[in-house]
Amino acid sequence: MLRYIVRRLLQMVLAFFCTTFIVYSMMFATGDPLTSLAGEGKELNDAVKAKLTRDFHLDEPFLVRYWYYIKGLLTFDLGDSLSQRPIAEILSEAWGYTIQLASIAFVFVVILGVVGGVIAGMRRGGVFDNVTLFLTLVVIGIPSFVIGLMLSTFPGGKWGWFTPGYNADQGIATLIVPGFVLGALALATAVRLTRTSVAENLRSDYVRTAKAKGLKKTRIIGVHVLRNSLIPVVTFLGIEIGNLMGGAIVTERIFNIPGVGFQLFKGIQLSDGPIVVTIVSVLVVVYLLANLLVDILYAVLDPRIRYS
């Protein structure tokens, strides 16, 4: 298991350098780096130009600049935004909201998605299965931002069923609906994926053998079928952690949640290059760590993977 984890860590390090190099190259390899940082058509005074040149080492060769950029990420020296505010301070205030939002979305996906998928797979062809397939198809067919706008406009705004945006006085309660919106697509996909996986495993030879040996249905489902069915689901859920962080950009904007996605959206609107590059890079790291966690869980669920 240790060798497996070390191999995955080495792969993650390689992926980290590749992805950050691509992000950095897209920002600075072509065109005028000052224009990329400040936005097209924005006039910069000499003081701002000098600061950006100093902070991003724009007078150095490209690979040297990339090295300073990596060094800053690894030492948590994230620099300042164009408004002269430390980016680390902005992120430290925003992370709490995004983590709470993504956690709520993840709970919806795991509890409703996996449990719903298991029940639908066990009752394949029944009323619950057909209703689930129909509802998940509707959710997959509608973009998440449309669901968010509809919920914030009608039940939240006109009908007054809940607060249509983040309210610091009400705290985490105002993040429940945005969390559901953020996780809606992943929830629908998790239901379908789990349902298919459970239905296939229920028709497997090892299930028939277990039944012939007289094992109880609860043991067959809980120990054998569920464990094998969860392997693709765990992979999907791990990837979704990174996607939830990315999806938070739209959800946090709709519900005015001052999280990382909201700060990234604001940075794009204000053409604040330092914030955009830093947040995208941090999201890449989160995505890589999530995938490492998935690989480890994958090996725990299926020991054969460690030796492949």
Side-chain angles (χ1 to χ4, degrees):
M1 186 67 175
L2 182 61
R3 287 180 58 190
Y4 174 82
I5 294 175
V6 170
R7 282 207 310 269
R8 289 298 180 270
L9 277 172
L10 292 175
Q11 290 173 3
M12 193 190 82
V13 170
L14 182 63
F16 168 77
F17 282 108
C18 287
T19 49
T20 51
F21 186 79
I22 291 171
V23 170
Y24 193 79
S25 300
M26 288 174 66
M27 193 72 188
F28 297 112
T30 58
D32 181 11
L34 286 173
T35 303
S36 299
L37 286 167
E40 290 284 345
K42 188 178 281 187
E43 291 292 332
L44 297 175
N45 58 42
D46 291 340
V48 175
K49 284 182 181 177
K51 184 181 184 313
L52 288 175
T53 302
R54 184 179 65 252
D55 290 350
F56 286 86
H57 308 279
L58 299 180
D59 52 348
E60 302 273 0
F62 178 77
L63 289 178
V64 176
R65 280 185 268 154
Y66 173 70
W67 163 246
Y68 280 116
Y69 159 73
I70 289 295
K71 186 180 171 186
L73 279 179
L74 295 177
T75 57
F76 303 103
D77 179 14
L78 304 180
D80 296 336
S81 68
L82 289 182
S83 61
Q84 307 299 310
R85 194 176 170 205
I87 296 175
E89 182 183 307
I90 295 173
L91 284 178
S92 66
E93 291 176 2
W95 268 120
Y97 300 105
T98 300
I99 290 174
Q100 287 182 59
L101 184 66
S103 299
I104 292 171
F106 202 66
V107 168
F108 274 121
V109 174
V110 171
I111 294 180
L112 297 182
V114 175
V115 173
V118 169
I119 296 173
M122 292 171 61
R123 300 179 179 178
R124 190 164 175 267
V127 176
F128 182 85
D129 183 32
N130 287 320
V131 171
T132 302
L133 285 176
F134 172 74
L135 291 178
T136 53
L137 185 62
V138 170
V139 172
I140 290 172
I142 302 176
S144 296
F145 74 90
V146 175
I147 298 175
L149 287 173
M150 288 173 63
L151 287 175
S152 66
T153 302
F154 295 105
K158 293 187 178 181
W159 303 338
W161 290 1
F162 58 85
T163 306
Y166 178 71
N167 187 318
D169 294 333
Q170 297 178 27
I172 198 170
T174 52
L175 295 178
I176 293 175
V177 173
F180 175 78
V181 172
L182 179 61
L185 179 59
L187 192 157
T189 308
V191 168
R192 285 179 161 253
L193 190 61
T194 309
R195 170 197 174 273
T196 303
S197 189
V198 169
E200 284 181 359
N201 279 294
L202 283 174
R203 294 196 296 268
S204 300
D205 291 339
Y206 72 86
V207 172
R208 281 194 287 272
T209 304
K211 287 179 180 176
K213 286 184 174 179
L215 288 181
K216 291 182 179 177
K217 188 176 180 180
T218 52
R219 181 172 175 78
I220 295 173
I221 299 290
V223 177
H224 300 288
V225 173
L226 201 54
R227 179 168 182 167
N228 288 315
S229 301
L230 282 181
I231 292 175
V233 179
V234 166
T235 305
F236 168 74
L237 293 178
I239 295 171
E240 274 306 306
I241 294 175
N243 290 338
L244 288 177
M245 292 290 177
I249 299 171
V250 176
T251 308
E252 289 179 357
R253 180 68 187 90
I254 292 173
F255 292 96
N256 290 318
I257 300 167
V260 174
F262 185 85
Q263 297 298 337
L264 178 57
F265 184 86
K266 203 162 76 171
I268 294 170
Q269 269 192 324
L270 298 174
S271 299
D272 194 329
I275 281 192
V276 174
V277 173
T278 304
I279 291 181
V280 169
S281 302
V282 170
L283 290 178
V284 166
V285 174
V286 171
Y287 196 84
L288 290 174
L289 290 174
N291 274 279
L292 175 66
L293 180 63
V294 168
D295 284 341
I296 294 173
L297 285 175
Y298 209 71
V300 171
L301 288 170
D302 189 350
R304 293 172 300 177
I305 294 171
R306 301 175 207 167
Y307 306 105
S308 61

